[in-house]
Amino acid sequence: MASDWRDKKLYPLLGILLLSIFLYFNLGSNPITFPILWQSHMGFVSANSTHFIIVNPRAPLENQSTFYINGWNSYWLMQESVWAGPSRSRVSKMLKKGAEMGLTVCRTWAFNDGVGPNALQISPGVFNERVFRGLDYVIVEARKRGIRLILSLVNNLSNFGGKAQYVRWAQEAGHNVSSSTDSFFSHPMIKDYYKAYVK
């Protein structure tokens, strides 16, 4: 009799409860994320003389496997991943399509400096966690498909901030900085801003 009650009432109730908890934590405003433990290790790509190789720290340099780059540019992936929903679906579809075509590398932006509500770096050393989660999503989706990423950390143009934003930040902080974006490469404070960002 007790077994019938468990089979007919308790287990379905537990199932509904667990499903509700799962949906609450994954579709709410602060989704809980879990590490994906079953993915294989993807070594970094390095150079050995005239070839790219996949670095395996446990193998001697002469036994590293050659890596041939076949890739594309989709600068917009992080921006599309900031909000869950159709935009993220577009990112997943792009990376899936690239993998299906045999592409192995995607260049994408890992920066947005002080421009608009989706800025990754709001001001020097101040970051938007929501945008970082979007970048995390891109990295996880690429890894699922065996695609390596070239993450651009700044650009030459003023789109998405770039070098010009670093110059503005230094000027706003009261530093005597030329308005030329070439100051990005020479002014110590701007170099420190960028080094802190990369770190």
Side-chain angles (χ1 to χ4, degrees):
M1 188 77 151
S3 176
D4 287 342
W5 182 85
R6 258 193 316 227
D7 292 343
K8 292 182 180 175
K9 305 246 180 177
L10 181 62
Y11 292 137
L13 284 173
L14 285 174
I16 290 169
L17 178 65
L18 289 173
L19 179 62
S20 300
I21 291 169
F22 175 80
L23 291 174
Y24 174 79
F25 283 122
N26 284 288
L27 299 177
S29 61
N30 291 313
I32 292 178
T33 57
F34 298 97
I36 299 173
L37 303 174
W38 56 87
Q39 290 185 352
S40 62
H41 175 74
M42 287 180 67
F44 279 92
V45 175
S46 187
N48 180 8
S49 184
T50 59
H51 293 90
F52 288 112
I53 57 170
I54 298 173
V55 177
N56 179 352
R58 289 178 250 149
L61 196 57
E62 60 273 3
N63 291 344
Q64 304 289 339
S65 58
T66 302
F67 181 71
Y68 296 97
I69 294 176
N70 185 12
W72 80 101
N73 178 53
S74 287
Y75 73 91
W76 48 267
L77 296 177
M78 181 183 70
Q79 292 300 311
E80 289 287 318
S81 297
V82 170
W83 303 105
S87 293
R88 278 196 173 177
S89 174
R90 183 175 172 219
V91 169
S92 298
K93 286 177 186 172
M94 173 59 76
L95 293 166
K96 180 181 177 190
K97 186 59 100 176
E100 288 170 353
M101 295 171 60
L103 302 177
T104 57
V105 176
C106 177
R107 176 187 173 269
T108 192
W109 288 359
F111 70 94
N112 183 351
D113 305 307
V115 178
N118 290 335
L120 175 58
Q121 186 174 204
I122 300 164
S123 61
V126 179
F127 301 96
N128 184 333
E129 183 64 29
R130 181 178 49 81
V131 181
F132 259 130
R133 286 190 194 130
L135 181 58
D136 287 345
Y137 180 82
V138 172
I139 293 168
V140 168
E141 288 296 300
R143 183 179 179 149
K144 279 183 194 174
R145 290 160 177 81
I147 294 173
R148 287 176 169 79
L149 297 173
I150 298 172
L151 298 174
S152 300
L153 302 176
V154 73
N155 72 352
N156 239 0
L157 308 170
S158 58
N159 297 357
F160 294 83
K163 297 185 311 181
Q165 182 62 58
Y166 281 89
V167 171
R168 280 193 295 278
W169 282 334
Q171 289 172 334
E172 290 166 3
H175 296 282
N176 185 15
V177 179
S178 160
S179 60
S180 166
T181 57
D182 289 342
S183 298
F184 178 84
F185 300 106
S186 58
H187 194 277
M189 180 53 64
I190 296 173
K191 288 165 56 174
D192 286 345
Y193 286 163
Y194 183 68
K195 287 175 187 175
Y197 174 69
V198 171
K199 185 177 180 185

